Every structure is written in structure tokens, then in C-alpha cells.
Amino acid sequence: MEVFRDIDSLGNYLSAHRCQGRSTGLVPTMGALHQGHLSLLSNALEENDIVICSVYVNPTQFNNAEDLENYPRQEAEDLRILEQNGCHAVFVPDDEIMYVEDPVIRIGFGDMEGIMEGEFRPGHFNGVAMVVAKLLNAVNPDRAYFGQKDLQQFLLIERMVKDLGFRTKLRCIPIYREETGLAMSSRNLRLSQEEKNRAVNIYKMLSRSAKMLESGERWEEVHKEGINFLRENGLEPEYFEAVSAQTLARQTNVFDKNRVALCVAAYVGKIRLIDNLILGGSL
Ligand code: PAF
């Protein structure tokens, strides 16, 4: 496996493969890799000749300095995992490479970021969009892979790719869950066993809510019950929304023709977790 720390040497490597007519897939990550990332990698390996993973903790997408500082970092272990799982190349830039200067442009998504992560993490999606645009420019992949766990992120990146005319096709890979139902996340590494036991109630709540909606219960009631369920199980909900899985518009009638996603963010102690469930399956 090749490891690149700057854009030019990565570019030379990729040009050599493109000259041979090989297709390329990009899996952008912030490291602290888990099974969820590996499922993105295995999808990428199936669909492309060459797969590049990026490992970069992007400072501009953190709206909380403590969260950035505490974000798990384990580069040597990540490289080992990627090599063991057949990744062809890794891009591990540092801040000087990714942000030669502080960007003056801002990327905004209007109403699509007025709720959920965009509402509670101001500036987050500007940072995500900025770094993803930089990665797409550096790699220019045929396909790029993102996880459904960050559904709003995926839909905004999809919109950016459309609006700015990037040639890359995007893939949204279903959420990878632990046996307990807990969605895999790098942040799970920071949970104690007792916190993990409480965290499983996030997916329980989503599944319960989906059943209630499917049996005809009104959203207002489902929302109230969901929030209560989380609180009763020692979690502090930040939001629980039913949105279109295309436009992110809030849905009150869940049997609308748009696909509806139930999305939640909740604190387990100091750790903030997100999860979602799309009624009727994945994207
Ligand atoms: O989903 C993530 O891990 C990050 O937001 C991403 C897409 C790698 C950008 O830093």
C-alpha cells in the first residue's frame, strides 16, 4: 500500500494509473477506522481498480475546540487496518497541505442546513464541504464513498457535487451496526461500557418510532414518545426529526411520496452520537 502526504506525489501516482485506463474510488475518512469504514472500503474495492482512502481530521468542520482536541487519532493503526483490507493507497495530509491559507470563501446550503447538524453545529457543513471539495480536486476519483450514518452530510455533498459540476459519482453505503444495534462511529471509542449500554437505546428508539409510524401513529405523538424514551434511558436528545431523505425538508405526513428519514442526535454523557433510519430501507 502506498502512503502519500502531499498532493503532487498522489497526483503522479493517480495519473500513472489513469493512463492505464484504471478507475479510481475515494473513501474520505477522519481515521479511527472501524467496520463502518471497512464497509465503504469493500464497496469501493468492488467497483474500482484503484482505491484511495484519505485519513485527515479536518479542523474546519469542528465547531467545538474540545471535540477537535479529543477526536481519536491512531494513524499507525489506521494504516495497518487499511493495508490489511486491501486498500491501494492512502492520503494522509496535514493542515499545512490541506489549508495553505485560511479559506475566505464559504459554502452554504440554504434550507438544507437549517436543521439537524447544520442547526446545532454552526459552520460544520462549510468545513465538510470545503475539505470534500479539496479531496475531490486532489484525487478526481470516478466514485466517492460516504456512510448513511451522516445522511445530511451525504445529501449536502451530493448537492455540492451537482451544483459545482464535479464528475465524481457518489455512493451512500448503509449504516454498519454493532450486534446491539449501535451505529458504528469513531466516537464510540470514547464511550465507557456503561455509556455504550445506554447508547443502544438510540437505535431502539428509531426502530420503535418506525413501527409506530408504520402502524399509523401521528408524527407528533411518535416524536414525543421518542424524546421521552431517550430521556428515560439516560440519554439527552438534541433533536429528533422526520425529514425527506432527498431534500431534508421536515415531514409531518410520513406517508408522503418522498422517502422519509428519522434522524436523531443525542448525548451519552459528554459524547454526542447521531443515527438515522430511512423508512422503507436505505437510499
Ligand atoms: O464523514 C467524515 O468522516 C468526514 O466528515 C469527512 C467526509 C471525511 C470529511 O472530513
Side-chain angles (χ1 to χ4, degrees):
M1 185 178 74
E2 306 276 348
V3 179
F4 297 101
R5 293 187 187 271
D6 69 278
I7 294 175
D8 286 347
S9 49
L10 172 69
N12 292 339
Y13 166 86
L14 290 167
S15 307
H17 282 293
R18 271 195 206 103
C19 286
Q20 307 287 322
R22 297 193 181 114
S23 61
T24 51
L26 170 68
V27 181
T29 82
M30 297 209 297
L33 302 178
H34 49 67
Q35 285 298 329
H37 295 112
L38 294 182
S39 95
L40 305 188
L41 176 62
S42 73
N43 275 274
L45 286 166
E46 260 171 43
E47 294 186 328
N48 302 277
D49 299 318
I50 297 292
V51 174
I52 300 99
C53 274
S54 60
V55 176
Y56 175 61
V57 181
N58 172 37
T60 64
Q61 70 187 75
F62 287 80
N63 59 319
N64 174 327
E66 196 185 328
D67 194 22
L68 171 60
E69 200 185 319
N70 292 330
Y71 200 83
R73 290 168 175 82
Q74 45 168 60
E75 184 186 308
E77 175 66 357
D78 287 342
L79 294 183
R80 193 191 60 73
I81 294 173
L82 290 173
E83 176 142 46
Q84 221 171 44
N85 285 278
C87 182
H88 301 103
V90 189
F91 180 43
V92 203
D94 61 17
D95 292 344
E96 281 68 42
I97 295 286
M98 289 310 278
Y99 293 96
V100 178
E101 281 191 67
D102 285 345
V104 292
I105 69 161
R106 294 283 175 270
I107 306 176
F109 294 91
D111 289 348
M112 290 182 88
E113 65 172 339
I115 52 168
M116 306 197 299
E117 296 304 287
E119 181 182 354
F120 288 95
R121 302 180 69 190
H124 170 64
F125 286 123
N126 169 61
V128 170
M130 191 70 73
V131 80
V132 171
K134 283 168 178 278
L135 290 168
L136 292 180
N137 278 329
V139 178
N140 191 14
D142 294 290
R143 297 173 197 85
Y145 296 79
F146 298 88
Q148 185 201 309
K149 188 171 77 66
D150 296 294
L151 179 67
Q152 188 175 19
Q153 164 176 283
F154 176 77
L155 294 172
L156 296 190
I157 293 172
E158 187 174 59
R159 189 57 204 250
M160 176 182 77
V161 161
K162 197 168 163 192
D163 285 0
L164 296 181
F166 283 100
R167 63 179 275 278
T168 304
K169 299 270 172 288
L170 301 187
R171 297 274 190 268
C172 185
I173 307 301
I175 299 176
Y176 200 96
R177 298 185 182 281
E178 295 188 1
E179 265 178 32
T180 58
L182 179 63
M184 292 269 181
S185 163
S186 304
R187 291 172 201 273
N188 295 354
L189 286 174
R190 293 170 56 202
L191 298 174
S192 66
Q193 189 53 52
E194 187 274 325
E195 287 172 328
K196 261 191 156 185
N197 296 344
R198 274 191 276 153
V200 302
N201 289 297
I202 296 177
Y203 183 59
K204 275 193 192 151
M205 183 282 270
L206 287 174
S207 312
R208 227 169 146 246
S209 301
K211 281 203 189 99
M212 286 170 76
L213 288 166
E214 276 152 11
S215 64
E217 188 59 86
R218 284 168 53 247
W219 166 245
E220 290 72 11
E221 192 53 35
V222 173
H223 180 264
K224 197 170 87 197
E225 287 242 352
I227 295 284
N228 288 342
F229 181 84
L230 292 177
R231 293 207 171 115
E232 279 157 15
N233 285 287
L235 300 161
E236 191 42 50
E238 193 167 62
Y239 63 76
F240 174 36
E241 299 276 6
V243 298
S244 155
Q246 285 160 347
T247 64
L248 292 170
R250 279 195 177 100
Q251 306 288 297
T252 40
N253 174 7
V254 296
F255 297 108
D256 202 302
K257 57 183 178 314
N258 287 331
R259 276 265 182 86
V260 173
L262 304 181
C263 302
V264 59
Y267 280 90
V268 190
K270 286 183 128 185
I271 312 299
R272 183 178 184 277
L273 299 175
I274 60 172
D275 199 352
N276 67 75
L277 190 157
I278 299 177
L279 301 181
S282 9
L283 279 187

